[in-house]
Amino acid sequence: MSLAHRLLNIEVNIPYEDVSRAWKTQRTTWSAAVVYSATTKELAERALLLLDALVPTCIKYYWPDPDAYESMYASIKRVAVAEQADPRGLVLRAAFQEWEEKVLPKPKEAELPLMGNGKPDYYTFGSTGPELEVGDKCYALDIRMVWCSATIVQRQREFSGQMLYKVHYEGWKQRWDEWMARDSGRVRRDMPPSSLKGVSSVDMFSGSRAAPQTAPTTKAKKEPKATAASKATAAGTAAGSKASSVAAKRTAMKKMKQRLKSVISKRRGSKDDVESGEAASSAKSAA
């Protein structure tokens, strides 16, 4: 992750109500200036512009201790006014890291079990990340902080000059494709050997860090072959169990038919009684 990308990422995570009103009209030009910063001195000057745009309530919220804010501001200012040389950006890296800890959102507790232990690559000043073309195979750090096999499916340069890659994660649907900056530290051409040691491709893809399973070294004991007598006994047992189940079904069917006959006979008996009673009453009335 380049220093310019880290500064842009900090700015994106600061709400508009935490900066001055004029910042909305300045941020596009400011972002381009950050991307095209040729020296750490120029990048430090851009960082001071963002710090100066923060409203007092924002500074008090992120830095309850005023001394901590003043110390970070002073370290960046020394580079901006050329009081301290910082060709590799080590001073700015320490200041930006402190800034990130204050501004960037922390993962929720419920998300922690789903997170991996992958980390983005951090570049010294001047490094812009790997140069990749459409169709190139690579590794990408997904939102779970897991390095996954991916393919570059599209390239795009923003107005600010930042190069973006659209990566497609192998084995995932296109809706999970993700745009990421070339200098974000989330794209690698090759995976370091230390990251691949003891991890299969499937485990890496799912975020697990378990070692790949190996075949057992001991042979399983073979069961003794069944003899003719044991086969005959087994066949007889199976035939007996089948016959008993058939007999049980027949008995249950017979009992069901008997219950149906009794119900039908009762209904018929009640109907005959009603008809005989009606005949007797009609004869009595005729007499």
Side-chain angles (χ1 to χ4, degrees):
M1 184 183 298
S2 68
L3 292 174
H5 179 80
R6 296 179 74 172
L7 184 57
L8 292 174
N9 194 35
I10 290 172
E11 192 275 336
V12 168
N13 284 276
I14 297 177
Y16 272 129
E17 56 267 21
D18 289 342
V19 293
S20 61
R21 294 182 178 179
W23 185 255
K24 291 183 180 180
T25 59
Q26 299 174 359
R27 67 183 307 269
T28 302
T29 306
W30 176 86
S31 299
V34 169
V35 173
Y36 289 107
S37 296
T39 62
T40 53
K41 179 180 180 298
E42 293 180 0
L43 186 62
E45 292 173 354
R46 286 22 171 194
L48 288 181
L49 289 176
L50 179 57
L51 286 172
D52 292 336
L54 299 179
V55 297
T57 55
C58 171
I59 298 174
K60 188 176 181 180
Y61 175 79
Y62 287 124
W63 289 274
D65 183 8
D67 294 337
Y69 171 77
E70 293 296 336
S71 176
M72 188 194 72
Y73 188 97
S75 64
I76 297 176
K77 186 176 181 179
R78 284 194 295 269
V79 179
V81 298
E83 289 183 2
Q84 182 177 0
D86 189 25
R88 299 184 60 191
L90 299 181
V91 176
L92 293 183
R93 177 179 178 179
F96 290 175
Q97 183 174 354
E98 180 183 350
W99 203 349
E100 289 171 340
E101 293 175 355
K102 302 292 184 181
V103 175
L104 300 188
K106 305 293 188 300
K108 298 179 181 179
E109 186 176 355
E111 299 174 349
L112 293 178
L114 305 176
M115 303 295 289
N117 57 2
K119 300 292 183 182
D121 297 327
Y122 290 96
Y123 308 137
T124 56
F125 184 80
S127 301
T128 56
E131 176 67 27
L132 298 172
E133 300 294 337
V134 175
D136 288 350
K137 300 293 182 181
C138 63
Y139 291 92
L141 185 65
D142 67 1
I143 58 175
R144 304 167 303 156
M145 304 306 290
V146 177
W147 286 101
C148 303
S149 300
T151 305
I152 303 297
V153 295
Q154 196 172 344
R155 286 165 47 109
Q156 178 179 317
R157 187 175 294 277
E158 287 190 327
F159 176 78
S160 63
Q162 193 175 31
M163 175 60 70
L164 301 181
Y165 294 146
K166 187 176 185 180
V167 300
H168 171 71
Y169 296 106
E170 301 296 337
W172 291 81
K173 294 183 178 179
Q174 290 183 355
R175 63 178 180 177
W176 297 107
D177 292 357
E178 187 177 1
W179 284 99
M180 53 184 62
R182 172 185 172 181
D183 61 343
S184 64
R186 297 177 56 196
V187 184
R188 291 175 177 173
R189 182 180 297 276
D190 300 310
M191 182 66 73
S194 59
S195 302
L196 294 173
K197 185 177 181 180
V199 181
S200 66
S201 58
V202 177
D203 292 332
M204 187 194 310
F205 180 75
S206 62
S208 173
R209 290 298 181 269
Q213 296 180 356
T214 56
T217 55
T218 57
K219 293 183 179 180
K221 294 182 178 180
K222 293 184 178 180
E223 296 182 358
K225 294 183 178 180
T227 60
S230 61
K231 288 182 179 180
T233 304
T237 304
S241 60
K242 185 176 181 180
S244 61
S245 62
V246 172
K249 289 181 180 179
R250 288 179 178 177
T251 303
M253 186 66 70
K254 187 176 181 180
K255 289 182 179 180
M256 185 181 294
K257 288 182 179 180
Q258 289 176 354
R259 287 197 297 269
L260 289 174
K261 285 182 180 180
S262 61
V263 172
I264 292 172
S265 61
K266 286 181 181 179
R267 289 183 178 180
R268 284 181 178 176
S270 60
K271 185 177 181 181
D272 294 340
D273 293 341
V274 172
E275 290 178 352
S276 60
E278 290 178 353
S281 61
S282 59
K284 190 174 183 180
S285 61

